[in-house]
PDB file of all heavy atoms in Angstrom:
ATOM      1  N   MET Y1393      67.898 117.073 -54.934  1.00  0.00           N
ATOM      2  CA  MET Y1393      67.226 116.894 -53.639  1.00  0.00           C
ATOM      3  C   MET Y1393      68.199 116.315 -52.636  1.00  0.00           C
ATOM      4  O   MET Y1393      69.315 115.918 -52.974  1.00  0.00           O
ATOM      5  CB  MET Y1393      66.052 115.932 -53.820  1.00  0.00           C
ATOM      6  CG  MET Y1393      65.006 116.417 -54.766  1.00  0.00           C
ATOM      7  SD  MET Y1393      63.723 115.195 -54.856  1.00  0.00           S
ATOM      8  CE  MET Y1393      63.126 115.513 -56.497  1.00  0.00           C
ATOM      9  N   SER Y1394      67.725 116.253 -51.406  1.00  0.00           N
ATOM     10  CA  SER Y1394      68.545 115.631 -50.383  1.00  0.00           C
ATOM     11  C   SER Y1394      68.762 114.168 -50.772  1.00  0.00           C
ATOM     12  O   SER Y1394      68.014 113.610 -51.560  1.00  0.00           O
ATOM     13  CB  SER Y1394      67.847 115.724 -49.018  1.00  0.00           C
ATOM     14  OG  SER Y1394      66.713 114.877 -49.011  1.00  0.00           O
ATOM     15  N   LYS Y1395      69.758 113.564 -50.190  1.00  0.00           N
ATOM     16  CA  LYS Y1395      70.118 112.183 -50.557  1.00  0.00           C
ATOM     17  C   LYS Y1395      68.926 111.249 -50.362  1.00  0.00           C
ATOM     18  O   LYS Y1395      68.694 110.360 -51.156  1.00  0.00           O
ATOM     19  CB  LYS Y1395      71.309 111.740 -49.701  1.00  0.00           C
ATOM     20  CG  LYS Y1395      71.928 110.459 -50.162  1.00  0.00           C
ATOM     21  CD  LYS Y1395      73.238 110.212 -49.459  1.00  0.00           C
ATOM     22  CE  LYS Y1395      73.897 109.013 -50.129  1.00  0.00           C
ATOM     23  NZ  LYS Y1395      75.323 109.102 -50.116  1.00  0.00           N
ATOM     24  N   ARG Y1396      68.124 111.495 -49.334  1.00  0.00           N
ATOM     25  CA  ARG Y1396      66.976 110.645 -49.018  1.00  0.00           C
ATOM     26  C   ARG Y1396      65.913 110.735 -50.112  1.00  0.00           C
ATOM     27  O   ARG Y1396      65.232 109.769 -50.405  1.00  0.00           O
ATOM     28  CB  ARG Y1396      66.405 111.069 -47.671  1.00  0.00           C
ATOM     29  CG  ARG Y1396      65.255 110.230 -47.181  1.00  0.00           C
ATOM     30  CD  ARG Y1396      64.786 110.687 -45.813  1.00  0.00           C
ATOM     31  NE  ARG Y1396      64.293 112.060 -45.792  1.00  0.00           N
ATOM     32  CZ  ARG Y1396      63.076 112.437 -46.187  1.00  0.00           C
ATOM     33  NH1 ARG Y1396      62.239 111.572 -46.632  1.00  0.00           N
ATOM     34  NH2 ARG Y1396      62.713 113.713 -46.097  1.00  0.00           N
ATOM     35  N   GLU Y1397      65.767 111.884 -50.761  1.00  0.00           N
ATOM     36  CA  GLU Y1397      64.731 112.098 -51.760  1.00  0.00           C
ATOM     37  C   GLU Y1397      65.237 112.072 -53.194  1.00  0.00           C
ATOM     38  O   GLU Y1397      64.499 112.299 -54.112  1.00  0.00           O
ATOM     39  CB  GLU Y1397      64.072 113.478 -51.534  1.00  0.00           C
ATOM     40  CG  GLU Y1397      63.378 113.635 -50.212  1.00  0.00           C
ATOM     41  CD  GLU Y1397      62.861 115.027 -50.066  1.00  0.00           C
ATOM     42  OE1 GLU Y1397      63.595 115.990 -50.354  1.00  0.00           O
ATOM     43  OE2 GLU Y1397      61.705 115.163 -49.648  1.00  0.00           O
ATOM     44  N   ARG Y1398      66.476 111.769 -53.398  1.00  0.00           N
ATOM     45  CA  ARG Y1398      67.108 111.891 -54.708  1.00  0.00           C
ATOM     46  C   ARG Y1398      66.553 110.884 -55.709  1.00  0.00           C
ATOM     47  O   ARG Y1398      66.354 109.735 -55.395  1.00  0.00           O
ATOM     48  CB  ARG Y1398      68.610 111.713 -54.578  1.00  0.00           C
ATOM     49  CG  ARG Y1398      69.329 112.000 -55.873  1.00  0.00           C
ATOM     50  CD  ARG Y1398      70.778 112.299 -55.696  1.00  0.00           C
ATOM     51  NE  ARG Y1398      70.907 113.500 -54.891  1.00  0.00           N
ATOM     52  CZ  ARG Y1398      71.939 113.757 -54.116  1.00  0.00           C
ATOM     53  NH1 ARG Y1398      72.918 112.913 -54.038  1.00  0.00           N
ATOM     54  NH2 ARG Y1398      71.995 114.856 -53.415  1.00  0.00           N
ATOM     55  N   PHE Y1399      66.318 111.385 -56.915  1.00  0.00           N
ATOM     56  CA  PHE Y1399      65.895 110.544 -58.012  1.00  0.00           C
ATOM     57  C   PHE Y1399      66.998 110.599 -59.040  1.00  0.00           C
ATOM     58  O   PHE Y1399      67.646 111.632 -59.242  1.00  0.00           O
ATOM     59  CB  PHE Y1399      64.614 111.083 -58.651  1.00  0.00           C
ATOM     60  CG  PHE Y1399      63.414 110.999 -57.753  1.00  0.00           C
ATOM     61  CD1 PHE Y1399      63.047 112.072 -56.946  1.00  0.00           C
ATOM     62  CD2 PHE Y1399      62.652 109.844 -57.690  1.00  0.00           C
ATOM     63  CE1 PHE Y1399      61.948 111.992 -56.123  1.00  0.00           C
ATOM     64  CE2 PHE Y1399      61.552 109.765 -56.879  1.00  0.00           C
ATOM     65  CZ  PHE Y1399      61.196 110.833 -56.075  1.00  0.00           C
ATOM     66  N   PRO Y1400      67.202 109.500 -59.774  1.00  0.00           N
ATOM     67  CA  PRO Y1400      68.210 109.540 -60.855  1.00  0.00           C
ATOM     68  C   PRO Y1400      67.840 110.593 -61.887  1.00  0.00           C
ATOM     69  O   PRO Y1400      66.660 110.930 -62.062  1.00  0.00           O
ATOM     70  CB  PRO Y1400      68.120 108.128 -61.458  1.00  0.00           C
ATOM     71  CG  PRO Y1400      67.434 107.269 -60.443  1.00  0.00           C
ATOM     72  CD  PRO Y1400      66.568 108.200 -59.640  1.00  0.00           C
ATOM     73  N   ASP Y1401      68.850 111.110 -62.568  1.00  0.00           N
ATOM     74  CA  ASP Y1401      68.637 112.160 -63.580  1.00  0.00           C
ATOM     75  C   ASP Y1401      67.587 111.755 -64.606  1.00  0.00           C
ATOM     76  O   ASP Y1401      66.735 112.546 -64.974  1.00  0.00           O
ATOM     77  CB  ASP Y1401      69.931 112.505 -64.295  1.00  0.00           C
ATOM     78  CG  ASP Y1401      70.891 113.295 -63.410  1.00  0.00           C
ATOM     79  OD1 ASP Y1401      70.432 113.837 -62.379  1.00  0.00           O
ATOM     80  OD2 ASP Y1401      72.076 113.378 -63.759  1.00  0.00           O
ATOM     81  N   TYR Y1402      67.630 110.509 -65.057  1.00  0.00           N
ATOM     82  CA  TYR Y1402      66.694 110.114 -66.122  1.00  0.00           C
ATOM     83  C   TYR Y1402      65.243 110.133 -65.609  1.00  0.00           C
ATOM     84  O   TYR Y1402      64.331 110.447 -66.374  1.00  0.00           O
ATOM     85  CB  TYR Y1402      67.067 108.752 -66.718  1.00  0.00           C
ATOM     86  CG  TYR Y1402      66.706 107.537 -65.871  1.00  0.00           C
ATOM     87  CD1 TYR Y1402      65.490 106.890 -66.078  1.00  0.00           C
ATOM     88  CD2 TYR Y1402      67.570 107.064 -64.898  1.00  0.00           C
ATOM     89  CE1 TYR Y1402      65.174 105.769 -65.321  1.00  0.00           C
ATOM     90  CE2 TYR Y1402      67.251 105.974 -64.132  1.00  0.00           C
ATOM     91  CZ  TYR Y1402      66.045 105.328 -64.338  1.00  0.00           C
ATOM     92  OH  TYR Y1402      65.707 104.242 -63.574  1.00  0.00           O
TER      93      TYR Y1402
END
Side-chain angles (χ1 to χ4, degrees):
M1393 298 180 208
S1394 70
K1395 191 169 189 148
R1396 183 178 61 81
E1397 298 177 314
R1398 188 160 297 152
F1399 293 94
D1401 287 344
Y1402 77 94

